[in-house]
Amino acid sequence: MAYKTVGLKTHIWNNNFMTFAMLLVLPGTLLFMVWMVFLGWFLTYPDSFARSARDYPYSYSDSIYDYGTHAFTMTLAYMPYVLVVVGVWYAIAWLFNRQIIMSATGAKEVSRKEEPVLYNLLENLSMSKGITMPRLGIIETDALNAFASGIDRGSYTVTVTRGLMDIMDKHELEAVIAHELTHIQNNDVRLMMVISIFAGMIGTVIALFKAPFSSGYGYHMGYGISSHGRSRDGGRLILFILGMMAVAFLASVVTNLVKLYVSRRREFMADAGAAELTGRPDAMIRALRKIEGHSEMPQMPSAVAEMCISPTSLRELWSTHPSTDSRIDALKAFAGYGLDESDYAIKYPEKEVIEQPAQQNVPNQQVNDIWDNPVTGAILTGTLAEMGQKAGTFGNRTKGNPGGMGLAAQVPSATKVQTAAQDPWGNEDAAPKAASQTVAPKPVPKTAARKPAKVAARARRSMESWADLPTPPRKTFGQR
Amino acid sequence: MSNLILLAILGVSVLMTIAIYNRLVGLSVSRKNAFSNIDVQLKLRHDLVPNLIETVRGYAAHEKGTFEEVTKARSRAMGANGDGKDRAQAESALNQSLMKLMMVTENYPELKADMRFQQLQDELTDIENKIAATRRFFNGSTAEFNAYLGQFPAVFIGQLFGFKEQNFLEFEAAERKAMSVAPTVSFS
């Protein structure tokens, strides 16, 4: 596993460095773009080059080298203006990013009075991290997602959806919030904001160049693209604009590559940080499984979508966010224990317990046994039932049907059986649920149960040896 | 030439000493800050206790022994200051007596239905969660300080300026001890 050794401190340091580098590199890229604009302009209009160069006391010939040099001179001359525009843009984003994001995503900030349970979870987690508590936001939607945003202490915000609050149990919700909190503490959020602001600028530039093409605006601007289309000047102009679009496109590709590089690793880091903070990798795994396939939020602006716990659209599934399976594998490797629903297939047949939970390949022989085993059989049947249900409800959700579904419809009873069986260490929530189900799974055989418990104990010890303190007892956070 | 090299070595070591000293000071300050966060929560708990007792007394007046124990533990905890062992013990004792008080309340259904009591109980739970959270951060920063102090160059500089390894705040230790003693059962 490539993610076995995760160093959070190193990650924070890297992020700080990257933020700094971005603040230098991105204006640099912008200057390069300006230079390309001048160069392109001079190449398309040699006359203007001659006119412009005449004002400067150098001897310019007609070689491409001189075009470049003069374009550079012009860039330097115009640099202050460009930097002022960039600076103002950044200042606005810095000051108003919270308001902008909230209005773009439809989130509203909530206080302790309005959402005491959630607020307390966030407050306590911030206390254990020793950081200033971020603001708390809620989006009223059935989709399951959460994100962190903000650029400094005053604007950091953790936002969750109403659907997430309804479906997650206390520990899972805590894991999700811890994930977002880790994004904030690792400075992922700040880095992302800096990059996104720049991406926004480039997007605007591209849109400006595109405008004459897409809206027929060109006529009014006197470009005369179609009327003088065959004339030399119009052709050149189109060429110039196309060239500039290529430059802008290149810049946006560069920005996106940077984003990509940063974003995938970051999710693993935040998952690991959440597992460390809550001491419950299992809750994180369960939360990821619950979110999987229900996280679509089409209205999300892409800058925010980057910071979401799970992809908001199919497009992102393959780019910014690693797959749920790989995240869960990384979690198990990091924590040394933790169970995923697919692991029950490996863990609970009467066969010997496999110590390496990250192993994925289940031999065919074993698969047959799983179906025969009453526990795993029930789980698998449950999973299938749930999958069917998902297929049924998914369409409604993606269309943004507000409040169309009750909680009961979203969580089929089969899922409840699953959660009940999912907690091999006798977690307090698990037992009563199991009892209330009509298809209560058979209690796990003692020999099988003991082993994971031992592994878990060992892992817990190794996880916390750094501070040499036992997991603080997490008492009831109130009733949900 | 050799003088110059000597001077350079001296300069570098002075700079390193300054850097390490500053880091040690910074770490111990952040540890102190972390403790003041716990302190706030502990004080909140102290303030909550009288209200809690008064409410319980309204329904269970004859549980005098428990009330006295809690009151005593509270005044002892309020007398203890700093982050030393006696503070931890006093707070643990208060915690235990509160647990006992809560056990007592189990026998009084009317009390458990009392709105005011429920509110106080929620508050107590919340404060205890926050004590756990802040204590976790405090112990984390203590571990960070101790680890840095124990590392190679810092260990000398720490000795030079009299930095000492700091204590963790362990409430559970006392609890565990109490729990390992078998409870006395009497039928009189």
Side-chain angles (χ1 to χ4, degrees):
Chain A
M1 279 299 293
Y3 304 101
K4 227 168 208 164
T5 49
V6 276
L8 290 174
K9 296 255 169 186
T10 333
H11 182 70
I12 295 175
W13 190 86
N14 280 344
N15 266 347
N16 287 341
F17 177 76
M18 283 291 280
T19 309
F20 184 68
M22 282 300 121
L23 283 173
L24 288 181
V25 166
L26 297 183
T29 315
L30 212 68
L31 283 179
F32 179 73
M33 279 174 71
V34 176
W35 179 70
M36 289 292 280
V37 169
F38 277 112
L39 186 61
W41 187 261
F42 291 152
L43 284 177
T44 6
Y45 298 104
D47 302 349
S48 76
F49 167 70
R51 236 178 298 130
S52 170
R54 211 187 303 139
D55 299 340
Y56 287 82
Y58 315 114
S59 59
Y60 282 110
S61 62
D62 246 3
S63 75
I64 178 99
Y65 177 77
D66 288 331
Y67 279 87
T69 319
H70 187 61
F72 187 67
T73 315
M74 295 304 286
T75 306
L76 286 185
Y78 280 90
M79 189 158 80
Y81 305 108
V82 174
L83 288 184
V84 163
V85 170
V86 172
V88 168
W89 192 302
Y90 260 95
I92 290 173
W94 202 278
L95 291 174
F96 300 110
N97 67 79
R98 196 166 60 82
Q99 287 83 345
I100 294 169
I101 286 175
M102 272 171 66
S103 72
T105 56
K108 69 170 180 17
E109 195 176 335
V110 292
S111 63
R112 183 197 296 277
K113 277 235 170 84
E114 288 163 292
E115 294 294 339
V117 177
L118 197 67
Y119 194 94
N120 255 330
L121 277 177
L122 179 60
E123 192 178 28
N124 288 359
L125 284 172
S126 312
M127 278 179 168
S128 343
K129 274 267 187 199
I131 59 177
T132 316
M133 188 189 156
R135 294 159 190 272
L136 180 64
I138 289 184
I139 302 179
E140 301 289 344
T141 163
D142 284 345
L144 308 184
N145 225 323
F147 67 89
S149 60
I151 213 159
D152 60 0
R153 240 185 247 174
S155 60
Y156 284 143
T157 311
V158 170
T159 308
V160 301
T161 62
R162 179 67 65 183
L164 196 84
M165 289 173 64
D166 288 344
I167 285 188
M168 300 278 151
D169 72 22
K170 191 184 65 205
H171 296 315
E172 292 155 5
L173 203 57
E174 190 183 26
V176 170
I177 294 175
H179 173 104
E180 300 306 336
L181 213 54
T182 315
H183 271 320
I184 290 175
Q185 211 202 6
N186 292 359
N187 290 338
D188 293 334
V189 186
R190 181 183 288 170
L191 174 61
M192 215 53 229
M193 295 299 269
V194 167
I195 296 177
S196 298
I197 292 166
F198 183 74
M201 271 189 237
I202 293 195
T204 312
V205 172
I206 294 181
L208 279 180
F209 280 122
K210 257 189 197 165
F213 289 100
S214 53
S215 63
Y217 202 48
Y219 304 115
H220 311 293
M221 285 177 82
Y223 281 1
I225 285 165
S226 73
S227 56
H228 303 104
R230 259 172 268 147
S231 79
R232 216 168 147 232
D233 254 26
R236 274 187 185 167
L237 189 66
I238 291 178
L239 207 69
F240 172 70
I241 291 174
L242 280 178
M244 288 310 105
M245 278 174 72
V247 171
F249 181 71
L250 203 73
S252 78
V253 165
V254 168
T255 331
N256 279 323
L257 279 180
V258 172
K259 261 191 201 174
L260 263 185
Y261 166 78
V262 186
S263 61
R264 283 182 150 244
R265 286 185 59 83
R266 165 181 82 189
E267 291 306 318
F268 290 112
M269 289 296 187
D271 286 343
E276 193 189 2
L277 183 58
T278 58
R280 295 177 193 277
D282 280 55
M284 188 77 242
I285 291 173
R286 283 205 306 275
L288 285 175
R289 277 281 177 239
K290 278 190 181 176
I291 292 173
E292 189 181 19
H294 293 294
S295 56
E296 283 214 20
M297 298 179 75
Q299 80 278 19
M300 277 281 172
S302 76
V304 178
E306 304 278 343
M307 289 319 299
C308 282
I309 191 167
S310 216
T312 55
S313 68
L314 265 180
R315 190 176 53 81
E316 281 170 48
L317 196 60
W318 307 112
S319 55
T320 53
H321 284 71
S323 75
T324 303
D325 283 338
S326 62
R327 284 170 75 175
I328 287 174
D329 282 347
L331 262 174
K332 285 184 286 194
F334 169 76
Y337 75 109
L339 287 178
D340 179 23
E341 55 197 45
S342 63
D343 288 339
Y344 284 83
I346 305 168
K347 289 255 173 184
Y348 289 113
E350 287 81 356
K351 308 227 164 196
E352 66 163 10
V353 176
I354 294 168
E355 291 275 338
Q356 276 289 328
Q359 222 154 322
Q360 277 288 302
N361 299 330
V362 185
N364 280 339
Q365 178 61 41
Q366 236 168 342
V367 172
N368 288 336
D369 289 346
I370 295 159
W371 283 98
D372 294 337
N373 184 302
V375 178
T376 50
I379 292 164
L380 287 173
T381 329
T383 317
L384 289 182
E386 190 200 14
M387 275 161 68
Q389 203 95 12
K390 266 183 199 171
T393 60
F394 196 62
N396 283 333
R397 246 177 234 261
T398 45
K399 275 174 210 142
N401 181 8
M405 309 263 185
L407 182 61
Q410 280 170 3
V411 187
S413 63
T415 331
K416 282 186 189 150
V417 177
Q418 239 169 291
T419 23
Q422 228 163 39
D423 229 325
W425 301 302
N427 218 326
E428 60 271 24
D429 322 328
K433 270 188 197 164
S436 69
Q437 289 306 311
T438 40
V439 218
K442 207 170 90 179
V444 174
K446 269 185 184 166
T447 41
R450 220 175 275 145
K451 267 194 181 173
K454 232 191 251 171
V455 175
R458 202 193 319 133
R460 274 198 200 108
R461 273 201 299 283
S462 72
M463 261 182 81
E464 279 159 8
S465 57
W466 59 275
D468 199 19
L469 64 136
T471 317
R474 301 235 167 237
K475 287 161 193 158
T476 41
F477 284 85
Q479 298 300 311
R480 273 200 60 77
Chain B
M1 185 63 202
S2 64
N3 276 348
L4 214 66
I5 293 173
L6 222 68
L7 211 69
I9 291 175
L10 200 73
V12 166
S13 52
V14 164
L15 282 180
M16 266 182 76
T17 309
I18 292 174
I20 290 171
Y21 177 82
N22 284 347
R23 181 121 195 237
L24 280 169
V25 170
L27 283 173
S28 88
V29 165
S30 79
R31 179 179 173 275
K32 256 187 206 132
N33 279 343
F35 187 77
S36 67
N37 288 340
I38 305 180
D39 215 38
V40 169
Q41 300 300 329
L42 290 176
K43 294 231 160 81
L44 281 177
R45 187 162 72 171
H46 297 162
D47 296 344
L48 188 76
V49 168
N51 289 335
L52 195 64
I53 290 181
E54 278 317 305
T55 316
V56 178
R57 209 198 293 274
Y59 293 88
H62 58 277
E63 303 278 356
K64 272 195 189 124
T66 319
F67 298 146
E68 267 169 32
E69 194 182 327
V70 176
T71 314
K72 223 183 263 173
R74 172 177 177 261
S75 57
R76 198 185 135 210
M78 284 176 82
N81 273 317
D83 51 19
K85 278 239 166 66
D86 49 331
R87 176 82 183 266
Q89 269 166 13
E91 289 296 343
S92 299
L94 176 60
N95 194 22
Q96 270 163 8
S97 63
L98 280 174
M99 269 159 71
K100 211 180 268 179
L101 182 68
M102 286 303 162
M103 297 259 276
V104 166
T105 62
E106 297 285 324
N107 301 329
Y108 300 89
E110 303 95 354
L111 173 61
K112 292 194 77 184
D114 186 289
M115 283 292 285
R116 173 89 183 120
F117 177 71
Q118 279 173 8
Q119 194 192 336
L120 285 170
Q121 202 176 14
D122 285 348
E123 247 173 82
L124 185 65
T125 312
D126 184 39
I127 290 175
E128 271 167 6
N129 282 329
K130 291 199 159 60
I131 291 175
T134 47
R135 195 174 66 87
R136 198 173 165 203
F137 179 59
F138 172 77
N139 282 349
S141 41
T142 305
E144 203 178 355
F145 176 83
N146 286 348
Y148 190 70
L149 188 65
Q151 276 167 17
F152 165 58
V155 70
F156 299 120
I157 287 146
Q159 258 170 11
L160 194 67
F161 293 102
F163 284 97
K164 288 205 179 65
E165 196 159 292
Q166 300 293 320
N167 288 327
F168 292 99
L169 193 62
E170 297 287 5
F171 292 149
E172 263 87 352
E175 279 161 28
R176 249 183 249 127
K177 204 166 158 194
M179 271 189 272
S180 62
V181 179
T184 46
V185 183
S186 78
F187 297 97
S188 59

